[in-house]
Amino acid sequence: INAEYGVEKYKQVMYAKSDVLASDGVIRVGYVSPDMLGWHPVMQFIEPVLRNRNQKDFFTIMYSDAKRIDNHTERLKGFVDKWYNVHSLSDEKLANRIYNKDKVDILVDLAGLTDDSRPYLFMRKSAPIQVSYIGYPCTTGQKRIDYIISDPITSPPEEKNLYIEEIAYLERYALFNFQPYHNSPDVSPAPLLKNDYVTLGSYNTLRKLSKTSVRLWCYIMKRHSNTRLVLKSLYFADEQTKQRTWTRFERQGIKRSRISLLNATYDQREFLETYREMDIALDTVPYNGATTTLQALWMGVPVITLSGRHLFGRMSTGILHQIGLHELIATTEEDYVSKVSGLIENPERIVQLRASLRDMLVSTKSVDGEGYTRELESLYKK
């Protein structure tokens, strides 16, 4: 529907895909995002790309649609050639700027169909090549988005029919490359060593806490009476939301005394320190984590995921595949339960993973902003 509506509404495009790029040899790349502030996941993933950009071959422009700015925004401004705050511009005016004034060769959408995105801007085709990247883990449904960037595990070639865009593959890196926080706390001992129970947990947004996730987690907890569950969300600042969440688990036989609901922590070091109380991270189903998966692994907490078909259901699969932890990737609900149960019953393996996961991320190029950026730029050059 989105594809057909966009083509009908904007029949006249500014550029055709066949237009010649960068006559001066420098490729002009424009990024469009409303999320360049705070610790938004998109900002965290794009920062190392901007910081490590090849300034000889690329001219980088950020079109920031953020409604406000903060110190993180100001820091990011130093990593691009031009930064424009465009929140007040209409799609038409911004498209004219991109086409007529900035003459962008590749326009990258970092928001897709999320809040405050600009799908109608991209329907105007104001650059020869338009790309969807990082901010929307699914097809945009737009025929005028030429490519979606992914990797062969997160978006398998045999599932290309799920995308209206052509998939541009990163071959040596998973789609999501982690940027460690400069003040990250050290990895702590597994809490099971001091407790008489295993702590399961998830810090994914509450909107990902599906009926399937709750059902599977309750089944596991009933199967293993020596488990507790910790969830963390900014929505838990609301008491009614906490009560509703406890009720969801109580209806399936899990007492609220076994579940801790933590409010959001905005300081990144404090946030990471809360992983000290988690032994095993449970990925949400069918919408996986990406940022939270990498954060948990960085703090030594193994993440068990149920792999789906779509990009949004394979983000953790790509990450875990990159570091060689196929033992944590389930393919069916039964397999998911089995893998979680197996780890609960193997505390020695939990302790072993706790001590090695951070090094595994580094050694497998999951923390390699420079190398990742070089490969991404090689896709831009193609």
Side-chain angles (χ1 to χ4, degrees):
I1 293 174
N2 189 41
E4 297 303 327
Y5 177 75
V7 170
E8 179 63 28
K9 185 174 176 65
Y10 301 105
K11 289 182 178 179
Q12 298 300 317
V13 298
M14 293 180 171
Y15 264 121
K17 183 178 177 181
S18 60
D19 282 25
V20 178
L21 298 177
S23 59
D24 61 356
V26 176
I27 300 175
R28 300 174 70 84
V29 180
Y31 294 94
V32 183
S33 173
D35 302 316
M36 296 296 102
L37 75 167
W39 287 102
H40 193 283
V42 172
M43 193 208 73
Q44 295 181 51
F45 286 123
I46 199 64
E47 180 173 340
V49 171
L50 301 179
R51 189 193 316 114
N52 290 287
R53 73 195 190 284
N54 177 346
Q55 298 183 58
K56 178 182 177 182
D57 296 338
F58 294 90
F59 187 90
T60 305
I61 305 170
M62 176 61 70
Y63 300 100
S64 175
D65 233 343
K67 296 177 181 178
R68 59 184 177 85
I69 61 174
D70 58 17
N71 60 315
H72 302 291
T73 311
E74 294 298 333
R75 184 184 71 253
L76 221 59
K77 287 182 178 180
F79 301 144
V80 297
D81 297 294
K82 290 289 185 181
W83 182 290
Y84 299 113
N85 295 316
V86 298
H87 179 66
S88 63
L89 293 184
S90 66
D91 290 330
E92 183 178 1
K93 288 182 177 179
L94 179 54
N96 283 329
R97 178 183 188 89
I98 292 168
Y99 173 64
N100 291 311
K101 189 170 184 178
D102 297 332
K103 302 186 184 303
V104 168
D105 297 310
I106 302 174
L107 190 63
V108 183
D109 184 6
L110 298 177
L113 301 177
T114 59
D115 292 344
D116 299 316
S117 62
R118 286 188 182 252
Y120 299 128
L121 169 69
F122 286 86
M123 287 177 184
R124 286 174 164 83
K125 198 77 161 71
S126 51
I129 301 295
Q130 296 194 138
V131 178
S132 176
Y133 174 53
I134 285 183
Y136 191 64
C138 193
T139 181
T140 62
Q142 281 207 45
K143 291 182 177 179
R144 290 175 182 166
I145 298 286
D146 302 291
Y147 300 96
I148 183 170
I149 295 173
S150 191
D151 66 77
I153 301 301
T154 306
S155 300
E158 61 268 23
E159 300 289 5
K160 65 181 181 180
N161 62 303
L162 298 175
Y163 303 86
I164 198 168
E165 310 89 347
E166 182 178 342
I167 305 173
Y169 283 119
L170 299 163
E171 298 294 344
R172 297 186 300 117
Y173 292 85
L175 174 59
F176 299 98
N177 202 262
F178 188 56
Q179 173 180 245
Y181 307 108
H182 70 278
N183 61 344
S184 294
D186 293 335
V187 175
S188 65
L192 63 82
L193 296 174
K194 65 178 181 180
N195 301 326
D196 59 354
Y197 53 84
V198 175
T199 304
L200 311 174
S202 174
Y203 292 167
N204 282 301
T205 178
L206 197 59
R207 288 177 289 184
K208 294 184 181 180
L209 190 59
S210 65
K211 292 180 180 179
T212 301
S213 297
V214 172
R215 173 173 54 80
L216 289 172
W217 298 355
C218 287
Y219 181 84
I220 292 166
M221 293 182 72
K222 285 188 283 188
R223 188 171 176 176
H224 300 276
S225 59
N226 65 326
T227 56
R228 301 290 187 273
L229 179 68
V230 57
L231 305 177
K232 189 178 184 68
S233 171
L234 60 87
Y235 298 108
F236 291 150
D238 177 64
E239 186 60 31
Q240 288 185 338
T241 300
K242 292 176 73 172
Q243 294 298 329
R244 285 196 297 269
T245 302
W246 273 317
T247 299
R248 294 179 69 185
F249 286 89
E250 287 176 325
R251 287 174 177 169
Q252 300 203 41
I254 303 300
K255 295 180 179 180
R256 65 177 59 193
S257 60
R258 296 177 64 190
I259 303 173
S260 298
L261 303 181
L262 307 180
N263 294 338
T265 304
Y266 292 98
D267 179 86
Q268 285 300 302
R269 183 179 178 87
E270 290 180 11
F271 172 78
L272 291 176
E273 284 178 341
T274 60
Y275 280 105
R276 296 178 184 273
E277 303 306 318
M278 189 189 299
D279 292 300
I280 302 171
L282 302 177
D283 205 6
T284 43
V285 180
Y287 199 134
N288 294 171
T291 312
T292 50
T293 296
L294 286 161
Q295 289 167 337
L297 295 171
W298 183 250
M299 294 307 297
V301 181
V303 181
I304 297 181
T305 190
L306 174 54
S307 189
R309 290 182 62 201
H310 296 268
L311 195 158
F312 61 79
R314 299 183 61 85
M315 296 185 289
S316 293
T317 298
I319 293 166
L320 292 169
H321 176 85
Q322 175 91 27
I323 63 176
L325 280 176
H326 305 95
E327 67 186 89
L328 303 182
I329 303 171
T331 56
T332 65
E333 290 187 3
E334 293 76 17
D335 191 26
Y336 183 84
V337 171
S338 176
K339 289 184 182 299
V340 177
S341 295
L343 204 51
I344 291 171
E345 295 168 358
N346 190 353
E348 293 82 7
R349 180 58 174 156
I350 295 175
V351 172
Q352 182 185 40
L353 287 169
R354 192 85 173 195
S356 60
L357 280 172
R358 184 173 289 190
D359 288 339
M360 291 175 70
L361 281 172
V362 174
S363 65
T364 57
K365 297 184 178 180
S366 296
V367 182
D368 180 13
E370 184 175 359
Y372 179 93
T373 303
R374 294 291 82 76
E375 180 158 355
L376 177 64
E377 290 176 341
S378 72
L379 289 181
Y380 289 163
K381 289 181 178 180
K382 292 179 180 179

